[in-house]
Amino acid sequence: MADTLGRDMRFVPRSSNVISVLLVAASCVTATTLGYDGSMMNALNILPSYTEYFSLNTTTLALNTSALWIGGAVAGIVYGPITDILGRKKALFWAAVLTIISAIIQAAAQNIAMFVVSRILIGFGTGASAVAGPTYLAETMQLKHRAWGLGVFYDCWFVGGLISAGVTYGTAKMDTTWAWRLPSALQGLFSIICIVILPFMPESPRWLVHKGYNDEALDVIALTYANGDRANPAVLVQYQEIVDTLNYEKNTGETLSVKQMFKTPSARKRTILSLSVAVITMLSGNNIISFYLGTMLENAGITDSHTQLEINIILNAWSLCIALFGTVFANRLGRKKLAAISTAALTIFLFMFGGLTAKYGTSANTAGIYGTVATLFLFQGSYSFGLSPITVMYPPEVLNYPIRSNGMGLYTFLVNGVGLLVTFAFPYALDAIGWKTYMINGAWNVLEVLFILFYWVETKDKTLEEIDALFEGEKHSDVVDLEIVLNGKLDASNVLQGIDVPINSNEVPVTSKAVKGA
């Protein structure tokens, strides 16, 4: 197993499309597990067999639910360097192992302390895979599949949510503690799938080049772009871009340190952009729905737990469909426009939900209650359309190699820190001011829209190396942009001029002097 988790590619398929599917399937374990957890905790917070077993009050309800984010925040601090040292595959493997162990402990919990500790450990496991997974996927997927892969990555939140909603709907009929223990144990299922798939996947070519394994990096690019054809022009251009850019970064003194994220104006802007995604995706109001749907529905006038569980299933299915639809538009609209449309729409519907809850939440007006629930679906659909695909698509794109792992670590820390804040605070807010919580959140969302419109940088249709020009004014390689080659706008003989193919893993090619431009 140790060899197959490293550079060994004996079991890697020779089909680029199959590799793309496997990369997404294994990397998506983070979002699937988190989606499962969110939907599961939603359901458990509705089930008397769970709330009565732990004798939960507002404080312990919030603690049990939000403990996940504590572990995720810790993982964000420590797992960036680990991902750089071990490699992307091994880092993902150990994150999955920890998540499986933690799920078993949660299922066996005998008291609140044991339950909270298990959820902190699950948070660390999913947080670690949130550092390694998007980094791995962004660095290994070919250009035309990158937006699709990273978009589907967090769309899988709703795959996990839908599975969990179905599981908890079934176990709710149990009279024993297995009503919540069984869903808890099944949380480790996605990590098991990840471990099974990992031996059939290649290591990140950018990590391989950085470690000096250039020949193996070229093989990986050939496998992901051209079914193993090392002579394909697109393969050679992408390879040379990576080599040139990493050589430039080493020669200019860029290191894999936390300090590097704040060292230059361009690095600071990259870091701010990645962190803005963490804030926007966590503070737009979606966490209320993700963890306290039951409370929201009660405030809206839906008090029957059976009906609440049914709505949980339908909402996850609806959100998954809309998220996949939005992912299709990630390259057509671009990241910036997609995020702005999504955030503006969800802001409008959050205001509407707050107003309708205030008007009909305590009334017997059936039409008003149904209208409130419909607005909830429109809010979640708006969030799913843009912010779900963007969640881990944009951060690794704007971060260059020296700061990518640590940047995703800081991103994960902030995601979990903000998640902890809102998940712990919202029960008190909903208890104290009810519908006004949504109005305050909506006002904040207006600021998010303005930030996206005036500060974000568009990254669509560019390789990770070509994005450098957006921040630093130039690309650090002389080769033609990959999009030109993929679109057949340049003669292959021009593309191949000056590109150096390594003979063995110890040979490091010199900077290319290939023709630039069409």
Side-chain angles (χ1 to χ4, degrees), residues 233-245:
V235 170
L236 296 175
V237 166
Q238 175 67 110
Y239 167 79
Q240 197 67 50
E241 270 191 353
I242 294 171
V243 170
D244 290 348
T245 302

mmCIF file with all atom_site columns, all heavy atoms in Angstrom, residues 233-245:
data_model
loop_
_atom_site.group_PDB
_atom_site.id
_atom_site.type_symbol
_atom_site.label_atom_id
_atom_site.label_alt_id
_atom_site.label_comp_id
_atom_site.label_asym_id
_atom_site.label_entity_id
_atom_site.label_seq_id
_atom_site.pdbx_PDB_ins_code
_atom_site.Cartn_x
_atom_site.Cartn_y
_atom_site.Cartn_z
_atom_site.occupancy
_atom_site.B_iso_or_equiv
_atom_site.pdbx_formal_charge
_atom_site.auth_seq_id
_atom_site.auth_comp_id
_atom_site.auth_asym_id
_atom_site.auth_atom_id
_atom_site.pdbx_PDB_model_num
ATOM 1   N N   . PRO A 1 233 ? 1.515  17.575 -28.078 1.00 0.00 ? 233 PRO A N   1
ATOM 2   C CA  . PRO A 1 233 ? 1.896  18.980 -27.865 1.00 0.00 ? 233 PRO A CA  1
ATOM 3   C C   . PRO A 1 233 ? 1.317  19.588 -26.601 1.00 0.00 ? 233 PRO A C   1
ATOM 4   O O   . PRO A 1 233 ? 2.004  20.329 -25.882 1.00 0.00 ? 233 PRO A O   1
ATOM 5   C CB  . PRO A 1 233 ? 1.354  19.681 -29.119 1.00 0.00 ? 233 PRO A CB  1
ATOM 6   C CG  . PRO A 1 233 ? 1.338  18.620 -30.171 1.00 0.00 ? 233 PRO A CG  1
ATOM 7   C CD  . PRO A 1 233 ? 0.996  17.352 -29.446 1.00 0.00 ? 233 PRO A CD  1
ATOM 8   N N   . ALA A 1 234 ? 0.052  19.292 -26.308 1.00 0.00 ? 234 ALA A N   1
ATOM 9   C CA  . ALA A 1 234 ? -0.565 19.843 -25.094 1.00 0.00 ? 234 ALA A CA  1
ATOM 10  C C   . ALA A 1 234 ? 0.150  19.328 -23.847 1.00 0.00 ? 234 ALA A C   1
ATOM 11  O O   . ALA A 1 234 ? 0.342  20.071 -22.868 1.00 0.00 ? 234 ALA A O   1
ATOM 12  C CB  . ALA A 1 234 ? -2.044 19.471 -25.042 1.00 0.00 ? 234 ALA A CB  1
ATOM 13  N N   . VAL A 1 235 ? 0.559  18.068 -23.858 1.00 0.00 ? 235 VAL A N   1
ATOM 14  C CA  . VAL A 1 235 ? 1.287  17.475 -22.729 1.00 0.00 ? 235 VAL A CA  1
ATOM 15  C C   . VAL A 1 235 ? 2.613  18.204 -22.521 1.00 0.00 ? 235 VAL A C   1
ATOM 16  O O   . VAL A 1 235 ? 2.972  18.584 -21.395 1.00 0.00 ? 235 VAL A O   1
ATOM 17  C CB  . VAL A 1 235 ? 1.535  15.973 -22.973 1.00 0.00 ? 235 VAL A CB  1
ATOM 18  C CG1 . VAL A 1 235 ? 2.490  15.399 -21.926 1.00 0.00 ? 235 VAL A CG1 1
ATOM 19  C CG2 . VAL A 1 235 ? 0.223  15.208 -22.977 1.00 0.00 ? 235 VAL A CG2 1
ATOM 20  N N   . LEU A 1 236 ? 3.341  18.418 -23.621 1.00 0.00 ? 236 LEU A N   1
ATOM 21  C CA  . LEU A 1 236 ? 4.663  19.038 -23.520 1.00 0.00 ? 236 LEU A CA  1
ATOM 22  C C   . LEU A 1 236 ? 4.579  20.498 -23.095 1.00 0.00 ? 236 LEU A C   1
ATOM 23  O O   . LEU A 1 236 ? 5.419  20.975 -22.330 1.00 0.00 ? 236 LEU A O   1
ATOM 24  C CB  . LEU A 1 236 ? 5.388  18.906 -24.859 1.00 0.00 ? 236 LEU A CB  1
ATOM 25  C CG  . LEU A 1 236 ? 5.693  17.465 -25.279 1.00 0.00 ? 236 LEU A CG  1
ATOM 26  C CD1 . LEU A 1 236 ? 6.314  17.422 -26.674 1.00 0.00 ? 236 LEU A CD1 1
ATOM 27  C CD2 . LEU A 1 236 ? 6.629  16.800 -24.271 1.00 0.00 ? 236 LEU A CD2 1
ATOM 28  N N   . VAL A 1 237 ? 3.568  21.209 -23.591 1.00 0.00 ? 237 VAL A N   1
ATOM 29  C CA  . VAL A 1 237 ? 3.404  22.611 -23.202 1.00 0.00 ? 237 VAL A CA  1
ATOM 30  C C   . VAL A 1 237 ? 3.065  22.719 -21.716 1.00 0.00 ? 237 VAL A C   1
ATOM 31  O O   . VAL A 1 237 ? 3.639  23.534 -20.982 1.00 0.00 ? 237 VAL A O   1
ATOM 32  C CB  . VAL A 1 237 ? 2.322  23.298 -24.064 1.00 0.00 ? 237 VAL A CB  1
ATOM 33  C CG1 . VAL A 1 237 ? 1.911  24.640 -23.454 1.00 0.00 ? 237 VAL A CG1 1
ATOM 34  C CG2 . VAL A 1 237 ? 2.839  23.521 -25.480 1.00 0.00 ? 237 VAL A CG2 1
ATOM 35  N N   . GLN A 1 238 ? 2.116  21.899 -21.251 1.00 0.00 ? 238 GLN A N   1
ATOM 36  C CA  . GLN A 1 238 ? 1.767  21.934 -19.832 1.00 0.00 ? 238 GLN A CA  1
ATOM 37  C C   . GLN A 1 238 ? 2.961  21.545 -18.964 1.00 0.00 ? 238 GLN A C   1
ATOM 38  O O   . GLN A 1 238 ? 3.230  22.170 -17.929 1.00 0.00 ? 238 GLN A O   1
ATOM 39  C CB  . GLN A 1 238 ? 0.583  21.006 -19.558 1.00 0.00 ? 238 GLN A CB  1
ATOM 40  C CG  . GLN A 1 238 ? 0.204  20.881 -18.099 1.00 0.00 ? 238 GLN A CG  1
ATOM 41  C CD  . GLN A 1 238 ? -0.347 22.156 -17.484 1.00 0.00 ? 238 GLN A CD  1
ATOM 42  O OE1 . GLN A 1 238 ? -1.517 22.259 -17.179 1.00 0.00 ? 238 GLN A OE1 1
ATOM 43  N NE2 . GLN A 1 238 ? 0.502  23.150 -17.271 1.00 0.00 ? 238 GLN A NE2 1
ATOM 44  N N   . TYR A 1 239 ? 3.687  20.516 -19.386 1.00 0.00 ? 239 TYR A N   1
ATOM 45  C CA  . TYR A 1 239 ? 4.875  20.091 -18.646 1.00 0.00 ? 239 TYR A CA  1
ATOM 46  C C   . TYR A 1 239 ? 5.891  21.236 -18.538 1.00 0.00 ? 239 TYR A C   1
ATOM 47  O O   . TYR A 1 239 ? 6.394  21.536 -17.452 1.00 0.00 ? 239 TYR A O   1
ATOM 48  C CB  . TYR A 1 239 ? 5.506  18.882 -19.335 1.00 0.00 ? 239 TYR A CB  1
ATOM 49  C CG  . TYR A 1 239 ? 6.892  18.564 -18.836 1.00 0.00 ? 239 TYR A CG  1
ATOM 50  C CD1 . TYR A 1 239 ? 7.080  17.886 -17.631 1.00 0.00 ? 239 TYR A CD1 1
ATOM 51  C CD2 . TYR A 1 239 ? 8.014  18.963 -19.556 1.00 0.00 ? 239 TYR A CD2 1
ATOM 52  C CE1 . TYR A 1 239 ? 8.353  17.615 -17.157 1.00 0.00 ? 239 TYR A CE1 1
ATOM 53  C CE2 . TYR A 1 239 ? 9.289  18.692 -19.094 1.00 0.00 ? 239 TYR A CE2 1
ATOM 54  C CZ  . TYR A 1 239 ? 9.457  18.024 -17.898 1.00 0.00 ? 239 TYR A CZ  1
ATOM 55  O OH  . TYR A 1 239 ? 10.718 17.767 -17.420 1.00 0.00 ? 239 TYR A OH  1
ATOM 56  N N   . GLN A 1 240 ? 6.170  21.876 -19.669 1.00 0.00 ? 240 GLN A N   1
ATOM 57  C CA  . GLN A 1 240 ? 7.198  22.922 -19.656 1.00 0.00 ? 240 GLN A CA  1
ATOM 58  C C   . GLN A 1 240 ? 6.755  24.152 -18.860 1.00 0.00 ? 240 GLN A C   1
ATOM 59  O O   . GLN A 1 240 ? 7.559  24.789 -18.193 1.00 0.00 ? 240 GLN A O   1
ATOM 60  C CB  . GLN A 1 240 ? 7.554  23.338 -21.087 1.00 0.00 ? 240 GLN A CB  1
ATOM 61  C CG  . GLN A 1 240 ? 8.874  24.097 -21.186 1.00 0.00 ? 240 GLN A CG  1
ATOM 62  C CD  . GLN A 1 240 ? 10.064 23.200 -20.839 1.00 0.00 ? 240 GLN A CD  1
ATOM 63  O OE1 . GLN A 1 240 ? 10.191 22.099 -21.366 1.00 0.00 ? 240 GLN A OE1 1
ATOM 64  N NE2 . GLN A 1 240 ? 10.921 23.667 -19.949 1.00 0.00 ? 240 GLN A NE2 1
ATOM 65  N N   . GLU A 1 241 ? 5.471  24.477 -18.926 1.00 0.00 ? 241 GLU A N   1
ATOM 66  C CA  . GLU A 1 241 ? 4.947  25.569 -18.104 1.00 0.00 ? 241 GLU A CA  1
ATOM 67  C C   . GLU A 1 241 ? 5.217  25.306 -16.623 1.00 0.00 ? 241 GLU A C   1
ATOM 68  O O   . GLU A 1 241 ? 5.652  26.204 -15.889 1.00 0.00 ? 241 GLU A O   1
ATOM 69  C CB  . GLU A 1 241 ? 3.433  25.715 -18.308 1.00 0.00 ? 241 GLU A CB  1
ATOM 70  C CG  . GLU A 1 241 ? 3.024  26.653 -19.401 1.00 0.00 ? 241 GLU A CG  1
ATOM 71  C CD  . GLU A 1 241 ? 1.524  26.949 -19.360 1.00 0.00 ? 241 GLU A CD  1
ATOM 72  O OE1 . GLU A 1 241 ? 0.796  26.321 -18.562 1.00 0.00 ? 241 GLU A OE1 1
ATOM 73  O OE2 . GLU A 1 241 ? 1.091  27.820 -20.121 1.00 0.00 ? 241 GLU A OE2 1
ATOM 74  N N   . ILE A 1 242 ? 4.956  24.086 -16.193 1.00 0.00 ? 242 ILE A N   1
ATOM 75  C CA  . ILE A 1 242 ? 5.143  23.728 -14.788 1.00 0.00 ? 242 ILE A CA  1
ATOM 76  C C   . ILE A 1 242 ? 6.616  23.823 -14.398 1.00 0.00 ? 242 ILE A C   1
ATOM 77  O O   . ILE A 1 242 ? 6.976  24.432 -13.387 1.00 0.00 ? 242 ILE A O   1
ATOM 78  C CB  . ILE A 1 242 ? 4.599  22.316 -14.509 1.00 0.00 ? 242 ILE A CB  1
ATOM 79  C CG1 . ILE A 1 242 ? 3.079  22.282 -14.682 1.00 0.00 ? 242 ILE A CG1 1
ATOM 80  C CG2 . ILE A 1 242 ? 4.984  21.841 -13.108 1.00 0.00 ? 242 ILE A CG2 1
ATOM 81  C CD1 . ILE A 1 242 ? 2.483  20.889 -14.640 1.00 0.00 ? 242 ILE A CD1 1
ATOM 82  N N   . VAL A 1 243 ? 7.486  23.239 -15.231 1.00 0.00 ? 243 VAL A N   1
ATOM 83  C CA  . VAL A 1 243 ? 8.920  23.240 -14.941 1.00 0.00 ? 243 VAL A CA  1
ATOM 84  C C   . VAL A 1 243 ? 9.465  24.666 -14.906 1.00 0.00 ? 243 VAL A C   1
ATOM 85  O O   . VAL A 1 243 ? 10.171 25.051 -13.968 1.00 0.00 ? 243 VAL A O   1
ATOM 86  C CB  . VAL A 1 243 ? 9.680  22.402 -15.993 1.00 0.00 ? 243 VAL A CB  1
ATOM 87  C CG1 . VAL A 1 243 ? 11.189 22.587 -15.842 1.00 0.00 ? 243 VAL A CG1 1
ATOM 88  C CG2 . VAL A 1 243 ? 9.317  20.932 -15.861 1.00 0.00 ? 243 VAL A CG2 1
ATOM 89  N N   . ASP A 1 244 ? 9.128  25.453 -15.914 1.00 0.00 ? 244 ASP A N   1
ATOM 90  C CA  . ASP A 1 244 ? 9.620  26.831 -15.970 1.00 0.00 ? 244 ASP A CA  1
ATOM 91  C C   . ASP A 1 244 ? 9.163  27.648 -14.770 1.00 0.00 ? 244 ASP A C   1
ATOM 92  O O   . ASP A 1 244 ? 9.936  28.400 -14.169 1.00 0.00 ? 244 ASP A O   1
ATOM 93  C CB  . ASP A 1 244 ? 9.141  27.508 -17.256 1.00 0.00 ? 244 ASP A CB  1
ATOM 94  C CG  . ASP A 1 244 ? 9.812  26.953 -18.506 1.00 0.00 ? 244 ASP A CG  1
ATOM 95  O OD1 . ASP A 1 244 ? 10.797 26.208 -18.356 1.00 0.00 ? 244 ASP A OD1 1
ATOM 96  O OD2 . ASP A 1 244 ? 9.349  27.268 -19.619 1.00 0.00 ? 244 ASP A OD2 1
ATOM 97  N N   . THR A 1 245 ? 7.883  27.518 -14.446 1.00 0.00 ? 245 THR A N   1
ATOM 98  C CA  . THR A 1 245 ? 7.318  28.324 -13.353 1.00 0.00 ? 245 THR A CA  1
ATOM 99  C C   . THR A 1 245 ? 7.907  27.929 -12.007 1.00 0.00 ? 245 THR A C   1
ATOM 100 O O   . THR A 1 245 ? 8.273  28.794 -11.195 1.00 0.00 ? 245 THR A O   1
ATOM 101 C CB  . THR A 1 245 ? 5.790  28.192 -13.324 1.00 0.00 ? 245 THR A CB  1
ATOM 102 O OG1 . THR A 1 245 ? 5.257  28.598 -14.590 1.00 0.00 ? 245 THR A OG1 1
ATOM 103 C CG2 . THR A 1 245 ? 5.188  29.051 -12.233 1.00 0.00 ? 245 THR A CG2 1
#
